[in-house]
Amino acid sequence: MPGKHQHFQEPEVGCCGKYFLFGFNIVFWFSVFLGLIFFLELATGILAFVFKDWIRDQLNLFINNNVKAYRDDIDLQNLIDFAQEYWSCCGARGPNDWNLNIYFNCTDLNPSRERCGVPFSCCVRDPAEDVLNTQCGYDVRLKLIFGICLAQNLVSDIKAVKANWSKWNDDFENHWLTPTISEVLSTAGPQQNSLTGAPGPAPPSRHVFFGLGGLYPEPTFKNW
């Protein structure tokens, strides 16, 4: 009707356009989420590399504090046993970390049966064992110390025998081996050749040489 405003309805977006916008939003926000995760991982890696010594020290301190309280809390004890079995480790740096525990330290004043030992979770289990051996860590570090001392003594003995053998070999080469023909000619000195008049090697004097076959006279050589 004249004088009245006419309103026209805007065309709606088609089904294909709706699906396109919906997929675009999903891909966009998923990409933003992946980029954020990547940025966090990159920042964590950089910080871990920069503060690696501090992180290592804090981790060792945390583990050593738990080692000290191994027998004080049954839940903590089970957690440490699970961690050592799962990662196949023993202590923070090695078995000697268990010296921090009053039950496992190697001091002479320690009356515990577990002295110089480690928990059973440090042992490598035999698949053929049906029953868990909880005493496999008894006196383990005591045997390890004895083995190290024995190995050091063995190495020192080998070095001593090797030094004596080298000395004996040098003495044998200097006093018992027969000199070669070139050595004999070089020590004999020049002599006048009867045919050409040119100097030539003089026949060596008769000596007795020591050889592997016994005593024998030095061979003589013809004039050149």
Side-chain angles (χ1 to χ4, degrees):
M1 295 180 65
K4 291 185 177 181
H5 297 285
Q6 294 182 358
H7 299 280
F8 297 96
Q9 187 177 3
E10 296 180 357
E12 296 181 356
V13 180
C15 294
C16 294
K18 288 182 179 179
Y19 290 140
F20 175 77
L21 292 177
F22 179 74
F24 176 78
N25 289 332
I26 291 179
V27 172
F28 175 77
W29 289 111
F30 182 72
S31 301
V32 172
F33 180 71
L34 289 180
L36 182 61
I37 292 178
F38 175 76
F39 176 77
L40 292 177
E41 290 180 349
L42 181 62
T44 303
I46 294 175
L47 292 176
F49 178 77
V50 173
F51 299 100
K52 59 181 180 179
D53 295 334
W54 181 83
I55 294 175
R56 185 187 299 110
D57 294 339
Q58 294 299 319
L59 182 61
N60 290 333
L61 180 63
F62 173 76
I63 296 176
N64 289 333
N65 289 334
N66 292 329
V67 166
K68 293 179 182 178
Y70 176 76
R71 293 297 191 193
D72 299 339
D73 188 354
I74 187 63
D75 294 330
L76 178 62
Q77 177 177 329
N78 293 332
L79 179 62
I80 293 177
D81 289 334
F82 170 78
Q84 292 190 144
E85 288 181 344
Y86 184 79
W87 281 295
S88 299
C89 60
C90 189
R93 294 184 178 88
N96 288 329
D97 290 340
W98 287 97
N99 275 330
L100 300 173
N101 189 280
I102 59 176
Y103 298 98
F104 294 97
N105 65 67
C106 284
T107 56
D108 296 333
L109 300 178
N110 183 11
S112 174
R113 178 62 186 86
E114 296 176 319
R115 173 180 173 270
C116 278
V118 292
F120 70 93
S121 55
C122 289
C123 303
V124 178
R125 293 189 58 181
D126 186 0
E129 290 183 353
D130 296 332
V131 180
L132 178 63
N133 182 13
T134 58
Q135 299 180 358
C136 62
Y138 285 10
D139 302 327
V140 168
R141 289 187 292 125
L142 187 62
K143 299 175 183 177
L144 181 62
I145 294 174
F146 174 75
I148 292 175
C149 295
L150 182 62
Q152 290 178 349
N153 293 332
L154 181 60
V155 169
S156 61
D157 292 340
I158 292 175
K159 290 181 178 179
V161 172
K162 184 178 180 180
N164 292 333
W165 172 260
S166 299
K167 182 179 179 182
W168 180 86
N169 192 24
D170 294 339
D171 294 339
F172 177 80
E173 291 179 353
N174 295 332
H175 300 287
W176 290 93
L177 290 183
T178 305
T180 61
I181 296 177
S182 59
E183 293 176 351
V184 173
L185 294 178
S186 62
T187 57
Q191 144 179 317
Q192 189 72 18
N193 193 304
S194 59
L195 298 178
T196 61
S205 59
R206 304 288 291 180
H207 295 285
V208 177
F209 282 4
F210 290 94
L212 295 178
L215 301 178
Y216 61 93
E218 178 187 356
T220 57
F221 301 94
K222 295 182 179 180
N223 293 334
W224 293 0

